[in-house]
């Protein structure tokens, strides 16, 4: 959530008008606007212009958004702020659709970052598009891409580590969370997670089972006390326990891609045997190839041989 420190954005508003006012802003359009994840100066000029121009601003929290707008010198009556959050999104979306049908321009912002990414907004966008009305995105800050860019993702030979999966928040219940982490153990690509301060230590303990897999932690990204560190998963609980401030703030985490070594055949067969106990042949072969780097065709032949050898004789 952005921190509304005292600052003057008068020059920024003027620059926003000069840079963006001449562009086309269609009516009957929902403008999906990214807002800062911590540092107010990360707002874009086009976002400032649109937030001044639209007929109304739909938002996750009207009080938070009013404070954000006023920090930029934008003063809107409370009646021009529409609450659209996870508890009323489906119903509130119909209000937005009705206003768009009257030709209004409406911006949507979440509390921080890009709407619809682990924040409300996706259902609103879906409803607007289903009604045949236009959605126009204004890109900007995102904790996901911010941390990915600072993590230095490097995988095995021939792989630049650039592929990643966005998982967001892990389940809150311990059993479901542990099961999700076991699934991550077989994911060869980087994985981006988000977490709140009151759950981060529990998540760290759950991730510790991933052993020497590296994890980059981003805490309070773009804010004054921003901290970015990379540790092995097994050391994650101790890292958080080493300082009381380390569990404060909002968190993004990147599970680094699995380092894939070239397999000599024996390891591929060992992993394949384990997977075949739980999975169909095709799924077991695919995962074994990703985990060990062994050729998929060779693993498939091995899987058929193992399955045939397990069949009872007549």
């Amino acid at each position: 959530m952005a921190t509304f420190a005292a600052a003057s954005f008068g020059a920024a508003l003027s620059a926003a008008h000069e840079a963006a006012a001449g562009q086309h802003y269609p009516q009957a359009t929902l403008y999906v606007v990214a807002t800062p994840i911590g540092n107010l100066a990360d707002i874009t000029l086009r976002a400032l212009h649109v937030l001044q121009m639209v007929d109304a601003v739909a938002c996750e929290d009207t009080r938070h958004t009013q404070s954000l707008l006023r920090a930029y010198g934008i003063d809107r009556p409370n009646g021009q702020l529409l609450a659209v959050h996870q508890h009323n999104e489906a119903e509130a979306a119909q209000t937005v659709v009705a206003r768009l049908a009257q030709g209004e321009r409406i911006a949507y912002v979440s509390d921080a970052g890009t709407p619809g990414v682990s924040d409300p907004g996706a259902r609103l966008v879906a409803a607007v598009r289903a009604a045949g009305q236009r959605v126009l995105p204004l890109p900007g800050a995102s904790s996901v891409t911010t941390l990915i860019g600072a993590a230095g993702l490097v995988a095995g030979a021939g792989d630049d580590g650039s592929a990643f999966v966005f998982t967001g928040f892990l389940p809150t219940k311990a059993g479901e969370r542990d099961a999700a982490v076991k699934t991550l153990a077989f994911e060869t690509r980087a994985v981006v997670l988000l977490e709140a301060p009151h759950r981060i230590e529990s998540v760290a303990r759950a991730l510790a089972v991933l052993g020497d897999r590296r994890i980059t932690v981003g805490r309070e990204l773009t804010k004054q006390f921003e901290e970015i560190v990379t540790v092995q998963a097994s050391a994650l609980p101790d890292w958080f326990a080493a300082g009381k401030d380390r569990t404060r703030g909002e968190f993004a985490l990147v599970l680094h891609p699995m380092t894939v070594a070239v397999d000599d055949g024996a390891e591929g067969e060992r992993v394949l045997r384990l997977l075949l106990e739980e999975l169909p042949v095709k799924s077991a072969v695919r995962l074994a190839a990703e985990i060990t780097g062994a050729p998929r065709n060779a693993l498939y032949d091995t899987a058929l041989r193992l399955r045939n050898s397990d069949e009872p004789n007549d």
Side-chain angles (χ1 to χ4, degrees):
M1 185 175 292
T3 301
F4 304 133
S8 174
F9 285 89
L13 290 177
S14 178
H17 180 76
E18 290 294 326
Q23 299 178 6
H24 179 54
Y25 298 94
Q27 294 181 301
T29 297
L30 177 69
Y31 294 82
V32 181
V33 182
T35 55
I37 59 175
N39 192 317
L40 284 178
D42 288 339
I43 194 76
T44 70
L45 295 180
R46 192 155 66 117
L48 286 175
H49 179 71
V50 165
L51 290 172
Q52 292 180 90
M53 176 199 67
V54 292
D55 298 294
V57 177
C59 50
E60 188 176 356
D61 184 323
T62 57
R63 291 172 297 180
H64 176 90
T65 298
Q66 186 69 278
S67 297
L68 177 68
L69 294 175
R70 286 173 178 168
Y72 292 124
I74 301 171
D75 194 11
R76 282 190 169 275
N78 288 332
Q80 292 182 2
L81 300 179
L82 311 175
V84 182
H85 46 73
Q86 63 177 340
H87 302 297
N88 77 340
E89 193 170 0
E91 179 182 355
Q94 298 310 309
T95 299
V96 172
V97 167
R99 294 185 65 158
L100 292 174
Q102 296 172 8
E104 292 189 12
R105 301 180 181 94
I106 297 179
Y108 178 72
V109 299
S110 60
D111 283 349
T114 302
V117 182
S118 281
D119 280 332
R123 288 187 177 88
L124 172 61
V125 169
V128 170
R129 292 177 63 88
Q133 293 160 332
R134 184 170 180 178
V135 176
L136 199 158
L138 273 65
S142 167
S143 60
V144 177
T145 52
T146 297
L147 191 57
I148 282 286
L153 302 180
V154 179
D159 185 351
D160 64 4
S162 59
F164 69 91
V165 179
F166 176 64
T167 296
F169 291 88
L170 291 175
T172 57
K173 294 183 178 179
E176 295 175 0
R177 182 168 57 233
D178 291 343
V181 170
K182 288 180 181 178
T183 301
L184 295 182
F186 294 102
E187 176 55 71
T188 58
R189 296 166 293 182
V191 180
V192 183
L193 306 170
L194 302 178
E195 198 46 78
H198 63 281
R199 286 196 301 265
I200 191 63
E201 290 182 287
S202 297
V203 167
R205 289 191 293 270
L207 291 172
V209 302
L210 299 178
D212 60 0
R213 190 92 174 257
R214 294 195 303 161
I215 295 180
T216 293
V217 179
R219 186 181 74 85
E220 294 286 81
L221 291 173
T222 77
K223 299 180 183 179
Q224 181 179 358
F225 300 107
E226 175 185 82
E227 193 168 10
I228 300 175
V229 63
T230 300
V231 300
Q232 290 187 338
S234 58
L236 199 56
D238 288 340
W239 184 84
F240 280 109
K244 63 179 182 180
D245 289 339
R246 290 182 176 180
T247 57
R248 295 176 180 173
E250 300 297 322
F251 295 88
L253 303 96
V254 174
L255 176 64
H256 283 236
M258 185 182 295
T259 301
V260 178
V262 177
D263 180 66
D264 62 2
E267 178 65 8
E269 182 169 336
R270 186 188 72 82
V271 172
L272 188 60
R273 284 180 180 275
L274 294 173
L275 293 173
L276 284 171
E277 293 178 3
E278 304 292 338
L279 298 172
V281 168
K282 287 186 177 180
S283 297
V285 167
R286 177 178 59 81
L287 285 173
E290 291 179 357
I291 293 168
T292 67
R296 188 172 296 194
N297 289 341
L299 287 172
Y300 188 77
D301 291 340
T302 301
L304 294 180
R305 173 174 58 79
L306 292 173
R307 280 289 169 90
N308 290 334
S309 65
D310 289 341
E311 290 181 358
N313 295 323
D314 292 335

